[in-house]
Amino acid sequence: MQDITPDQLGAILLLETISATIALLVSHYSNKAFRFTQQKRLADLSTGFLVLSAGMYGRVLGILYAAVSSNLETLTIVVIATSFMRIMAYVLFVVSTRHTISKMTPELVMFMQIPLLVDFNLETVGLILLVIVVLQSLMNYMSTRSRYGLYVLVGFVLLLLSHSAIVTNSGYLLSQILQLLAFLALLVMLLKVGREE
């Protein structure tokens, strides 16, 4: 594993904070879409992104605290806790992307890291769950052929690639960039849905 310079760590924390904020926005717009369509999958998606966002903010704060206090035990606890939160979010994504028949707006059938800062066992579990989410998103897109389904598919493929970059040691910074692009794709989709209501 490569060492991370203070500048790289700063860039990673900035990207993680931006991604967490976008995840929070995705949660908000998913919740708005849920109130409009009453599709439970949107509520699951909203909760998943809320949990994911909270975990990402927690990771940033935990890393900053560990860096200031030089306390590696705290960092280990933060990594494990936030990894479990991410896995919980991905389980909700699996639930939200399951294929169902909807009488209302079928095009809305929804979807959605550093050597010392990553638990690779938990990361692998997250990766497996994301593969399921991507496959379900692909099946949803193939059945609806809607542009919303395409945004969802692209978002989750980018999220899968971001985790693959960590597990294959391609670099945490690259994974953060891919994660940011994934959240942006999902946010764009939700904003477009909101405009068409």
Side-chain angles (χ1 to χ4, degrees):
M1 287 289 178
Q2 62 193 26
D3 290 333
I4 295 168
T5 67
D7 287 343
Q8 288 174 327
L9 183 59
I12 287 165
L13 292 177
L14 177 64
L15 287 171
E16 182 96 351
T17 302
I18 293 169
S19 292
T21 303
I22 293 172
L24 195 57
L25 287 171
V26 171
S27 174
H28 170 71
Y29 284 106
S30 297
N31 190 45
K32 281 182 71 173
F34 165 70
R35 287 197 306 265
F36 176 72
T37 64
Q38 295 301 306
Q39 289 189 20
K40 185 183 179 301
R41 66 179 63 244
L42 289 168
D44 295 335
L45 187 73
S46 177
T47 304
F49 271 100
L50 186 63
V51 170
L52 188 61
S53 177
M56 293 167 77
Y57 281 128
R59 180 185 291 266
V60 169
L61 293 174
I63 291 169
L64 287 173
Y65 175 78
V68 169
S69 67
S70 299
N71 186 343
L72 292 182
E73 289 178 14
T74 301
L75 186 59
T76 302
I77 292 169
V78 166
V79 167
I80 291 172
T82 57
S83 294
F84 272 116
M85 289 179 78
R86 191 166 52 245
I87 288 170
M88 286 178 5
Y90 293 167
V91 167
L92 287 165
F93 294 162
V94 168
V95 170
S96 73
T97 56
R98 72 197 181 285
H99 185 71
T100 58
I101 297 172
S102 173
K103 293 178 182 174
M104 254 183 105
T105 56
E107 70 275 3
L108 286 178
V109 174
M110 291 298 150
F111 13 117
M112 298 196 248
Q113 318 175 6
I114 302 177
L116 190 57
L117 304 179
V118 173
D119 183 302
F120 284 95
N121 295 323
L122 294 175
E123 203 64 44
T124 302
V125 173
L127 198 58
I128 292 167
L129 289 171
L130 273 175
V131 167
I132 295 169
V133 172
V134 166
L135 290 174
Q136 289 182 163
S137 297
L138 177 63
M139 288 190 312
N140 287 341
Y141 172 69
M142 296 301 286
S143 67
T144 63
R145 297 285 183 177
S146 72
R147 65 176 185 226
Y148 303 118
L150 182 61
Y151 286 128
V152 170
L153 178 61
V154 168
F156 281 119
V157 165
L158 287 169
L159 198 55
L160 176 64
L161 290 174
S162 78
H163 282 273
S164 300
I166 295 172
V167 173
T168 59
N169 194 23
S170 298
Y172 193 75
L173 189 57
L174 173 63
S175 78
Q176 291 296 307
I177 292 168
L178 290 169
Q179 177 179 264
L180 181 62
L181 293 173
F183 291 166
L184 283 173
L186 294 169
L187 183 60
V188 165
M189 184 274 304
L190 287 166
L191 289 173
K192 284 183 179 272
V193 169
R195 280 196 207 120
E196 292 185 7
E197 289 175 3

